[in-house]
RNA sequence: GCCGACGUAGCUCAAUCGGCAGAGCAGCUGUCUUGUAAACAGCAGGUUAUCGGUUCGAGUCCGAUCGUCGGCUCCA
């Protein structure tokens, strides 16, 4: 982790780029630092801090790095007369912005100097957050943002006008180089000091900054456009899901259209997994406490679990994961090396008590249906099995046309052994190496991020971004070298001895919730024919054509096409409009001519039309698109 | 969970200083019988999220709760 406190998107993108350039994180980062926009944004962060200090002299400043669309700075405004933490109000941003423009107009030079730890401490004696950073710099463990670093500590500052900040730079030469009309302060947010929820909450101001006014305008426009494909908006408009206050936060209700998406995804998964040698199993939603004690989820994972319920003196939990059940199924009989790998699959419904503020539409919910499976295999089989899962990802991603993602290898960190991670350094190193080798042999590009592993082993996550730029893990592929042992899972090897299998946890299609949330945005609601909840809408021109429309509807329904004849009293144009708004792929307009000739007038969602198409030709077209899961209209 | 903002009809949004809750779309009824993105008319729709307070009077001011949104933390 470098560059900034917990700003994973920026960081990981940087690393992803780096990895494509021969996996040299350093170069990617240095290129970025030299970047003009980087200097501009970084400089604006300093200018904002200066403006805030001038307007709120009591403020304490924390850190203020550039990010991929702008910059932020964290402040501590102290407490008010009643002892409550003082906060920025949205209207304060205007004042600050105005002051920033005044500073820019002064064309203040940015002056660099190196200082000793002593000088730095004197300089920032009234700034406790800076003092803490200086201490870290002096020890050589962290950079000026408090992130871990290997570099030798040089303590330096940049000063513009009266404001001097602990900083490594680089910056623009003087404030006049910053276009005053190409930045905007966007929002205030609370942010914990050093990302630690046990430490004070600071006030963070986010700003966006660009090379010129036009780029700023483009960016703001892009944000507006992104909102239009936000799955929360489209999900309601396309009648895919809703949330209901009385049901509860994070508990989606799938409307009939959402039900169809789910059915189609499950059908896909079943076909693919059957071909790949998986067996399907089913397991209960509730289990005794004992199972999760054995798996290690309790107490480690208890915070994310719904609280237990007690019946006849026994505590039961609702499951947050399917693995322990699958382990039990694996362990239900003696396994020979001959039957390995054993692959157990289930679209299991799990419940996790995500904190209220973490919920986000369908992307982060409390009830979820996972495309789950566990593969039990020998070490010799591991590489092939692991790559087999990666092949599944690639198959699915190609099918959906998903190309903007990053595969992330999450490894352990020695400092977490025995706490966050199972205490077995040898197996950590070994399995991490196995994953790296598998990925290299499969020629799969990935980014490596330390200290992000599961508690039982390293994993490959597929990272994607929502319409509004939030990062999520879509699919996951995890190695588990610890839990099979806890469940006494074994197989009898060639030599007659019992051995512990490795377990691979995988969910290439994610959960229905996150997958569908993502797909809504990915397609902007324009699902390919096979996924579209309604595939064909028949639009009779007058009620004289209703009968023909119903005939067509029956013909298509017999061919297993999802079709609706619109027999409403609106005019044809209005019916077309409503089908367009629901993003139905095919509209069949039928009037006298079509009825006469036994044809349809095809209008596609993209506006393209084909008149006088014989009915059977259309049936052949739509059934072919569905059968092949074609991306084409 | 924490910081900030917000919550008015199924949906999108009005309601000036605290003074009679309103419009468009959707829905229902009727008329129109229509050729590729919105026919016309009428009707109905509300305990202004919930609970409490201030006031002659609260959608509007204050408090609590619930929910949503932007972040932080956390994660499929």
């Amino acid at each position: 982790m470098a560059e900034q406190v917990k700003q994973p998107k920026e960081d990981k993108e940087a690393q992803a780029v780096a990895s494509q350039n021969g996996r040299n994180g350093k170069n990617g980062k240095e290129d970025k630092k030299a970047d003009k926009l980087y200097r501009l944004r970084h400089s604006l962060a300093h200018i904002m801090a200066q403006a805030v200090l001038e307007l709120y002299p009591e403020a304490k400043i924390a850190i203020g790095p550039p990010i991929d669309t702008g910059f932020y700075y964290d402040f501590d405004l102290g407490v008010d007369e009643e002892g409550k933490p003082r906060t920025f109000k949205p209207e304060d941003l205007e004042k600050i912005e105005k002051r920033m423009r005044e500073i820019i107009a002064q064309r203040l030079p940015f002056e660099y100097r190196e200082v000793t730890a002593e000088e730095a401490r004197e300089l920032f004696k009234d700034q406790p957050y800076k003092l803490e950073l200086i201490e870290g710099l002096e020890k050589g463990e962290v950079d000026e943002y408090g992130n871990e670093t290997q570099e030798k500590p040089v303590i330096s500052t940049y000063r513009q006008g009266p404001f001097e900040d602990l900083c490594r730079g680089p910056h623009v030469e003087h404030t006049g180089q910053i276009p005053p009309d190409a930045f905007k302060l966007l929002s205030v947010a609370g942010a914990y000091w050093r990302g630690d929820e046990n430490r004070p909450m600071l006030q963070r101001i986010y700003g966006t900054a660009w090379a010129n006014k036009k780029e700023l305008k483009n960016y703001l426009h892009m944000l507006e456009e992104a909102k239009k494909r936000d799955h929360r908006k489209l999900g309601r408009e396309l009648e895919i899901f809703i949330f209901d206050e009385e049901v509860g936060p994070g508990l989606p209700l799938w409307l009939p259209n959402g039900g169809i998406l789910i059915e189609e995804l499950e059908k896909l998964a079943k076909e693919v997994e059957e071909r790949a040698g998986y067996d399907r199993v089913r397991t209960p939603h509730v289990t005794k406490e004992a199972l999760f004690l054995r798996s290690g989820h309790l107490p480690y994972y208890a915070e994310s679990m719904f609280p237990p319920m007690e019946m006849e003196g026994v505590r039961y939990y609702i499951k947050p994961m399917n693995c322990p059940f699958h382990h039990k199924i694996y362990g239900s009989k003696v396994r020979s090396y001959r039957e390995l790998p054993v692959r157990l699959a289930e679209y299991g419904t799990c419940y996790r008590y995500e904190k209220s503020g973490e919920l986000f539409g369908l992307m982060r919910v409390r009830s979820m249906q996972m495309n789950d499976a566990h593969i039990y295999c020998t070490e010799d089989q591991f590489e092939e099995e692991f790559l087999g899962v990666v092949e599944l990802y690639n198959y699915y991603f190609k099918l959906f046309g998903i190309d903007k993602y990053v595969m992330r290898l999450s490894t352990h960190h020695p400092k977490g052994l025995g706490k966050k991670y199972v205490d077995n350094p040898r197996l950590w190193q070994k399995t991490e190496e196995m994953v790296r080798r598998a990925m290299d042999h499969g020629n799969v590009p990935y980014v490596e991020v330390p200290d992000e592993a599961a508690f039982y082993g390293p994993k490959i996550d597929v990272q994607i971004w929502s319409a509004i730029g939030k990062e999520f893990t879509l699919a996951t592929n995890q190695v588990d070298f610890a839990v099979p042992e806890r469940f006494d899972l074994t197989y009898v090897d060639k030599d007659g001895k019992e051995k512990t299998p490795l377990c691979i946890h995988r969910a290439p299609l994610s959960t229905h919730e996150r997958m569908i949330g993502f797909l809504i945005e990915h397609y902007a609601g324009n699902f390919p024919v096979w996924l579209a909840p309604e595939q064909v809408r028949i639009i009779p021109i007058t009620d004289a054509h209703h009968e023909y429309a119903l005939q067509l509807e029956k013909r298509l329904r017999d061919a297993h096409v999802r079709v609706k004849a619109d027999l409403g009293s609106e005019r044809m144009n209005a019916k077309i409009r409503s089908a367009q708004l629901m993003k139905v792929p095919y509209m069949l307009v039928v009037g006298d001519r079509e009825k006469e000739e036994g044809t349809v007038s095809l209008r596609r969602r993209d506006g393209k039309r084909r008149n006088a198409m014989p009915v059977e030709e259309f049936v052949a077209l739509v059934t072919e698109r569905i059968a092949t899961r074609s991306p084409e209209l």
Side-chain angles (χ1 to χ4, degrees), chain A residues 538 548-560 563:
Chain A
I538 301 168
Y548 183 57
L550 287 168
Q551 269 176 38
L552 280 175
E553 186 183 56
K554 180 169 189 312
R555 174 68 189 93
L556 285 161
R557 199 165 275 156
D558 286 347
H560 307 289
V563 56

Side-chain angles (χ1 to χ4, degrees), chain A residues 305-351:
Chain A
M305 291 168 72
F306 276 84
M309 47 202 142
E310 201 170 313
M311 293 294 283
E312 298 181 347
V314 183
R315 280 145 72 91
Y316 289 85
Y317 279 91
I318 198 159
K319 67 175 170 183
M321 296 181 175
N322 304 301
C323 7
F325 301 86
H326 292 186
H327 296 337
K328 284 294 184 184
I329 290 172
Y330 176 92
S332 65
K333 64 175 188 176
V334 178
R335 303 281 182 176
S336 153
Y337 73 94
R338 293 171 195 274
E339 64 185 295
L340 261 46
V342 168
R343 308 182 189 90
L344 304 177
E346 173 179 18
Y347 248 111
T349 305
C350 297
Y351 299 84

Side-chain angles (χ1 to χ4, degrees), chain A residues 121-374:
Chain A
R121 266 192 289 270
E122 175 56 26
L123 208 51
F124 296 103
K125 61 177 188 294
D126 296 327
Q127 292 291 348
Y129 299 104
K130 294 294 178 191
L131 289 175
E132 188 175 325
L133 293 175
I134 291 163
E135 198 180 316
L137 281 172
E138 197 177 19
K139 284 193 204 144
E141 291 165 353
V142 294
D143 63 17
E144 73 274 23
Y145 297 136
N147 292 306
E148 283 176 42
T149 175
Q150 312 297 327
E151 292 168 34
K152 83 175 171 66
V154 173
I155 303 181
S156 59
T157 69
Y158 268 86
R159 185 175 70 82
Q160 88 269 11
F163 178 79
E164 186 159 15
D165 198 0
L166 193 64
C167 182
R168 211 168 23 168
H171 284 277
V172 295
E173 286 159 26
H174 60 86
T175 62
Q177 289 179 343
I178 294 169
D181 54 359
F183 79 93
K184 185 173 161 61
L185 301 187
L186 293 179
S187 59
V188 203
Y192 300 108
W193 169 233
R194 303 189 92 159
D196 184 341
E197 60 181 321
N198 299 311
R199 309 205 61 182
M201 175 157 278
L202 308 172
Q203 292 286 305
R204 174 173 300 177
I205 300 179
Y206 278 99
T208 187
W210 300 87
N212 55 56
K213 191 178 176 179
K214 196 175 157 211
E215 277 185 32
L216 171 67
K217 216 181 126 194
N218 285 347
Y219 172 69
L220 295 175
H221 179 71
M222 197 208 74
L223 281 185
E224 288 304 309
E225 288 301 304
K227 278 186 198 155
K228 288 186 193 161
R229 61 160 64 199
D230 189 317
H231 75 279
R232 292 166 297 183
K233 180 175 157 67
L234 285 174
R236 174 173 276 291
E237 288 172 359
L238 301 180
E239 297 182 14
I240 293 168
F241 67 94
I242 52 162
F243 288 97
D244 184 280
E245 266 198 41
E246 215 164 350
V247 173
L251 303 171
L253 300 178
W254 291 99
L255 305 176
N257 287 343
I260 289 166
L261 293 172
I262 287 178
E263 288 293 333
E264 287 296 341
L265 289 177
E266 292 201 10
K267 212 190 288 173
L268 171 68
K270 279 177 193 164
E271 280 173 28
V272 169
E273 284 164 7
E274 196 173 317
R275 233 181 295 142
Y278 287 78
D279 296 316
R280 298 203 85 75
V281 297
R282 311 213 69 159
T283 63
H285 290 201
V286 180
T287 187
K288 279 160 65 174
E289 177 180 40
L291 186 68
F292 287 117
L293 281 171
R294 187 198 285 251
S295 69
H297 287 107
L298 286 173
Y300 170 79
Y301 199 74
E303 201 179 274
S304 299
M305 291 168 72
F306 276 84
M309 47 202 142
E310 201 170 313
M311 293 294 283
E312 298 181 347
V314 183
R315 280 145 72 91
Y316 289 85
Y317 279 91
I318 198 159
K319 67 175 170 183
M321 296 181 175
N322 304 301
C323 7
F325 301 86
H326 292 186
H327 296 337
K328 284 294 184 184
I329 290 172
Y330 176 92
S332 65
K333 64 175 188 176
V334 178
R335 303 281 182 176
S336 153
Y337 73 94
R338 293 171 195 274
E339 64 185 295
L340 261 46
V342 168
R343 308 182 189 90
L344 304 177
E346 173 179 18
Y347 248 111
T349 305
C350 297
Y351 299 84
R352 297 183 186 173
Y353 197 86
E354 305 292 350
K355 293 183 200 164
S356 55
E358 293 164 348
L359 301 172
F360 180 77
L362 278 185
M363 302 298 270
R364 193 75 184 281
V365 291
R366 286 183 176 158
S367 78
M368 69 210 83
Q369 304 162 67
M370 302 175 70
N371 174 228
D372 212 356
H374 296 88

Side-chain angles (χ1 to χ4, degrees), chain A residues 12-109:
Chain A
K12 276 155 203 162
E13 273 181 347
Q15 291 187 30
V17 170
S19 119
Q20 281 151 20
N21 300 335
R23 287 215 195 109
N24 186 339
K26 198 74 206 249
N27 281 344
K29 196 175 109 185
E30 292 307 316
D31 288 350
K32 210 173 159 81
K33 283 213 147 186
D35 183 53
K36 239 175 91 181
L37 264 178
Y38 180 102
R39 296 202 311 246
L40 188 114
R41 289 163 176 165
H42 199 171
S43 301
L44 273 162
H46 281 219
I47 292 168
M48 179 164 74
Q50 180 187 342
V52 167
L53 280 181
E54 286 171 3
L55 294 164
Y56 307 83
E58 301 303 307
K60 304 297 174 206
I61 56 175
I63 57 164
I67 52 177
D68 57 353
T69 57
F71 58 94
Y72 68 80
Y73 213 110
D74 287 346
F75 305 94
D76 183 341
L77 295 181
V79 293
D80 62 17
E81 305 75 32
E82 294 166 30
K84 288 200 296 190
R86 202 171 281 144
T87 58
F88 288 117
K89 298 277 174 279
E91 51 275 22
D92 297 334
L93 295 188
E94 280 174 41
K95 272 191 303 186
I96 296 166
E97 221 178 275
K98 185 162 166 266
R99 182 70 197 126
M100 286 172 72
R101 295 214 165 81
E102 288 165 10
I103 293 167
I104 287 171
Q106 291 169 20
R107 303 174 67 85
L108 301 171

Side-chain angles (χ1 to χ4, degrees), chain A residues 361-556:
Chain A
L362 278 185
M363 302 298 270
R364 193 75 184 281
V365 291
R366 286 183 176 158
S367 78
M368 69 210 83
Q369 304 162 67
M370 302 175 70
N371 174 228
D372 212 356
H374 296 88
I375 301 171
Y376 304 86
C377 65
T378 68
E379 277 185 34
D380 290 344
Q381 293 166 334
F382 173 80
E383 187 171 314
E384 193 181 338
E385 288 304 310
F386 196 82
L387 278 176
V389 173
V390 174
E391 272 169 38
L392 284 191
Y393 291 164
N394 287 332
Y395 172 77
Y396 288 135
F397 287 10
K398 203 175 156 209
L399 177 67
F400 292 113
I402 301 172
D403 47 18
K404 191 180 173 259
Y405 63 87
V406 171
M407 292 222 185
R408 183 179 78 177
L409 166 59
S410 300
T411 54
H412 79 299
H413 192 288
K415 75 178 182 207
L417 286 171
K419 286 172 273 178
K420 212 170 147 184
Y421 306 118
V422 175
D423 193 7
N424 192 330
R426 190 186 61 84
L427 275 177
W428 275 107
Q429 298 215 323
K430 188 171 163 187
T431 51
E432 284 168 8
E433 203 33 60
M434 283 167 77
V435 174
R436 278 188 207 104
R437 207 173 344 142
M439 297 296 277
D440 289 343
H441 283 177
N443 229 346
V444 185
Y446 65 95
V447 182
E448 188 164 333
V449 182
D451 206 16
E452 291 281 327
F455 76 91
Y456 44 67
K459 59 179 180 173
I460 294 282
D461 288 328
V462 182
Q463 301 302 110
I464 50 101
W465 290 268
S466 82
I468 58 167
K470 259 173 141 63
E471 180 180 352
F472 289 94
T473 297
L474 190 67
T476 185
N477 190 7
Q478 314 182 343
V479 186
D480 183 344
F481 58 77
V483 184
E485 200 177 353
R486 302 178 74 124
F487 277 84
D488 299 321
L489 301 186
T490 58
Y491 62 94
V492 181
D493 208 352
K494 286 181 192 144
D495 56 10
K497 290 192 179 134
E498 288 198 341
K499 294 186 181 159
T500 308
L502 280 175
C503 177
I504 298 172
H505 305 239
R506 42 113 280 180
L509 282 181
S510 193
T511 61
H512 282 321
E513 288 71 18
R514 189 167 288 180
M515 190 71 197
I516 291 173
F518 174 77
L519 288 178
I520 290 170
E521 301 189 346
H522 174 64
Y523 291 121
N526 295 301
F527 294 107
V529 181
W530 69 277
L531 262 181
E534 184 182 350
Q535 293 160 324
V536 180
R537 175 86 54 97
I538 301 168
I539 298 172
I541 292 177
T542 77
D543 43 17
H545 313 114
H546 282 188
E547 201 190 321
Y548 183 57
L550 287 168
Q551 269 176 38
L552 280 175
E553 186 183 56
K554 180 169 189 312
R555 174 68 189 93
L556 285 161

